[in-house]
Structures are given as C-alpha cells and as structure tokens.
Amino acid sequence: MMKNRKLGVSGFVVSEVGLGCWQLGADWGKDISKQTAFDILSEAVKSGITFFDTADVYGNGKSETIIGEFLKTCEVPIRVATKFGRAGDAFPDKYSKEVLRKSVEGSLQRLGVDSLDLLQLHCIPTHYLKKGHVFDWLRDLQQEGLIKHFGASVETVEEGLICIEQEGLLSLQVIFNIFRQKLVTELFPQAEAKGVGIIVRLPLASGLLSGKFNNKTTFPENDHRNYNRNGDAFNVGETFAGLPFEKGLEFVDIIKNTILPDNLTMVQLALRWILDHQAVSCIIPGASSTKQVVSNAQVSNIKSLSNEAHKALIDLYKNVIHKEIRGGY
C-alpha cells in the first residue's frame, strides 16, 4: 500500500511517490498519445499515487489539458501542482502580476478547477527571487482564492534558501538524487526548520540511475538528454544531474558492483535512498509506460536501506562524484 506524507507543516497529504508529468506534454523524446497518457494516469491512481506535478509550459499547456480531462473521469481526489515562470510571455525578464494572473487563469481553465492546489515558481531567475515582488503577487492570488498554496521549483541551494524566508511558502521542488547530495546538509535542515516541504524532481537523474543505459545508448534529436548534455538549452543540472553522460555510466557501474543489494534494482535503490530522508515529502519520477508507474510506486513499500548502504553512497559521492557535477548547484 502506498504510504503518505504531509507536504510542509501547513500543507496537504500527498503520496510519497507522485507522478511527474513533463512527458505528457511531449516537449522532448517520443510523443505520448492521449490514450497512453490516460493509461499512465489511471495506473498511477490504482497504485495509490495522489499527487501529479505539471507546468503551464509542458507542451504549451498539453500536459495540463490531459490531466484536466483525466480528472473529470477520476473518482479519487488528486492534488495537482503546476508551475509558472518559464513560458515566453514571462521568461526571462517580463515578470509582472498581470502575466502571473494570466498564466494562472490559463492553468485553471486547462485543469478544469476553480483553484490551484499548488502553484510553483518555475526556476525563475535568482534576482527576481531576491527582489521578492513575485511572492507578494502569489500571496495576493492566494487571498483571491485562485491558488490554495504556493511554492518554488529551484536550481540551486542559494535559491532554495532565498525562497524559504518568504512567508507562506509551502514547498520547494529540487533536484535531488544519489548524484547530487549536498542538499542533505545545506538545505534540508533549514527547510525543515521553516516547515517547508520538499518535492524531489529528477530522482533518477534523467534515467541514468535506472541502470539501463550504456555507452551505445542514443537519444532522439529532440530529447534533452541529447541536446542539453552540456547545458546548451537550459541548466545542465536538469540533464543527467549535471554529470557528463560517460562519467555517470561509470558511477552507476560502481554502485551496481559494490553497493546495490541483491534484492533491489537500481531504480529501487535510487528512489528508496531519497525517501529515506525525512525532509522529503514526495518524489515525482516521470513515467512513459504503465509498467514504470507500477515499479516506481512499489518503492513506497520497500524497507529503508541499511546504514552500510547509505554510508557507501555518501562516501562515493564525497570522494568521486561531487567533483564531476557541472552547473548551478
């Protein structure tokens, strides 16, 4: 049975394994049909997943639209988090309360709801976070009832620390996985002290931690794992957690050969490792098939990793992996 956790001290209950829905917008990789998308969402609900994460910019609204249509057929209460800040009418320097309101109204219409469960700032430039005006706008929309809660999806520890000082911030969405561990000491304790929930994206480092890739693996031309390997399109940390692909393969082999327990797959190890951190409210792995949904959801029932496994992964990160990470972190 899926276990649940609370999102922040003042938030709502979420399944500890959620569903990332970038792939439903088909911005990269193989296009997912509406029927396949519905199958994925249905399987998620059957598996006990009650939290979907999307954004206005995923497929230019396609992901939100599909989720909105699905919600009309779903009898189980689902919490949906969406985002604002990366669409062309705002990013990188055209942020205003009017643009925010327009984005929220569009998300409300596509999702078919009267109020957004959670609206997250979508990796907006650091200096806008420092100014703080956007948080005032979010609080105004919250007062109006257009959004129930607000949070921020961030790229760096610095941005996370800026955001948690803002009154009313419910959650932070962060890149956190075996390859990127410094948040354990540099952000999580501070977030917990402020009562801010942690949503983890890229838990498998763009699939690298699935253990299914090798030196012969190739990706489609429109897949960010091809065109953004070196951060040419956006923050390199969003692709393979900022690691050079070949280095990542080396590290996965080390984990497989020296740390991976006999009774776990690489996916199970990677996801369970994240859930073993009490600051984490929810992980949001994506899924392009129902099989992946079921596999991800089952991690909720796997017992915590041993102290020995945790120590080995920490040592590997500190001694070998950390120095290879590129990009803002």
Side-chain angles (χ1 to χ4, degrees), residues 275-325:
L275 289 177
D276 283 351
H277 293 83
Q278 67 175 13
V280 172
S281 299
C282 182
I283 57 175
I284 50 170
S288 57
S289 70
T290 55
K291 183 179 179 180
Q292 288 179 348
V293 172
V294 174
S295 175
N296 293 340
Q298 288 173 344
V299 174
S300 179
N301 291 313
I302 295 175
K303 68 178 182 179
S304 296
L305 303 180
S306 67
N307 291 334
E308 291 77 14
H310 273 286
K311 184 179 185 306
L313 289 169
I314 291 171
D315 289 344
L316 180 64
Y317 168 76
K318 288 182 177 179
N319 298 331
V320 183
I321 298 174
H322 178 259
K323 61 185 177 182
E324 302 292 344
I325 298 291

Side-chain angles (χ1 to χ4, degrees), residues 75-142:
E75 298 180 356
V76 176
I78 301 295
R79 298 284 193 172
V80 179
T82 191
K83 308 183 194 76
F84 155 81
R86 298 293 288 192
D89 58 349
F91 185 82
D93 58 2
K94 298 185 287 292
Y95 295 99
S96 69
K97 187 175 180 180
E98 291 70 29
V99 172
L100 170 60
R101 181 185 295 277
K102 181 180 178 182
S103 173
V104 168
E105 290 173 347
S107 293
L108 290 169
Q109 182 177 15
R110 288 186 291 271
L111 290 169
V113 296
D114 296 325
S115 181
L116 299 178
D117 292 320
L118 173 62
L119 179 67
Q120 304 160 103
L121 298 178
H122 197 177
C123 302
I124 71 172
T126 309
H127 65 275
Y128 281 104
L129 297 177
K130 288 181 176 178
K131 287 180 180 178
H133 301 316
V134 67
F135 294 101
D136 293 330
W137 305 336
L138 288 168
R139 283 185 278 265
D140 287 345
L141 294 186
Q142 187 179 38

Side-chain angles (χ1 to χ4, degrees), residues 229-241:
R229 282 195 182 193
N230 296 309
D232 295 330
F234 42 82
N235 189 328
V236 69
E238 299 284 356
T239 303
F240 301 133

Side-chain angles (χ1 to χ4, degrees), residues 39-262:
D39 291 344
I40 289 170
L41 295 170
S42 295
E43 193 61 56
V45 174
K46 291 178 184 177
S47 299
I49 291 173
T50 60
F51 183 72
F52 298 162
D53 178 86
T54 184
D56 60 349
V57 77
Y58 294 169
N60 193 29
K62 180 180 176 182
S63 177
E64 287 182 330
T65 299
I66 288 174
I67 293 171
E69 293 179 9
F70 174 78
L71 292 179
K72 295 176 183 177
T73 70
C74 183
E75 298 180 356
V76 176
I78 301 295
R79 298 284 193 172
V80 179
T82 191
K83 308 183 194 76
F84 155 81
R86 298 293 288 192
D89 58 349
F91 185 82
D93 58 2
K94 298 185 287 292
Y95 295 99
S96 69
K97 187 175 180 180
E98 291 70 29
V99 172
L100 170 60
R101 181 185 295 277
K102 181 180 178 182
S103 173
V104 168
E105 290 173 347
S107 293
L108 290 169
Q109 182 177 15
R110 288 186 291 271
L111 290 169
V113 296
D114 296 325
S115 181
L116 299 178
D117 292 320
L118 173 62
L119 179 67
Q120 304 160 103
L121 298 178
H122 197 177
C123 302
I124 71 172
T126 309
H127 65 275
Y128 281 104
L129 297 177
K130 288 181 176 178
K131 287 180 180 178
H133 301 316
V134 67
F135 294 101
D136 293 330
W137 305 336
L138 288 168
R139 283 185 278 265
D140 287 345
L141 294 186
Q142 187 179 38
Q143 284 290 321
E144 294 179 34
L146 295 180
I147 61 176
K148 295 184 178 74
H149 302 278
F150 63 87
S153 180
V154 297
E155 300 278 10
T156 66
V157 166
E158 178 195 10
E159 291 173 350
L161 293 175
I162 291 168
C163 290
I164 65 174
E165 293 300 322
Q166 288 289 336
E167 181 182 351
L169 187 91
L170 178 69
S171 60
L172 284 177
Q173 186 177 133
V174 297
I175 302 173
F176 179 60
N177 53 54
I178 288 171
F179 292 151
R180 292 170 74 98
Q181 297 187 28
K182 82 172 186 178
L183 278 67
V184 173
T185 56
E186 297 188 19
L187 181 61
F188 286 0
Q190 295 87 335
E192 283 191 281
K194 294 284 187 177
V196 174
I198 298 291
I199 301 167
V200 173
R201 69 181 186 278
L202 276 88
L204 298 177
S206 307
L208 195 53
L209 282 165
S210 71
K212 298 177 181 178
F213 301 157
N214 57 49
N215 283 313
K216 296 182 180 179
T217 301
T218 59
F219 301 96
E221 185 176 344
N222 70 335
D223 192 316
H224 73 100
R225 293 173 293 186
N226 177 23
Y227 66 77
N228 194 58
R229 282 195 182 193
N230 296 309
D232 295 330
F234 42 82
N235 189 328
V236 69
E238 299 284 356
T239 303
F240 301 133
L243 286 174
F245 182 62
E246 294 73 18
K247 281 291 183 182
L249 292 177
E250 292 178 18
F251 300 148
V252 168
D253 283 341
I254 293 173
I255 295 170
K256 281 182 177 179
N257 295 328
T258 65
I259 301 174
L260 181 66
D262 292 337

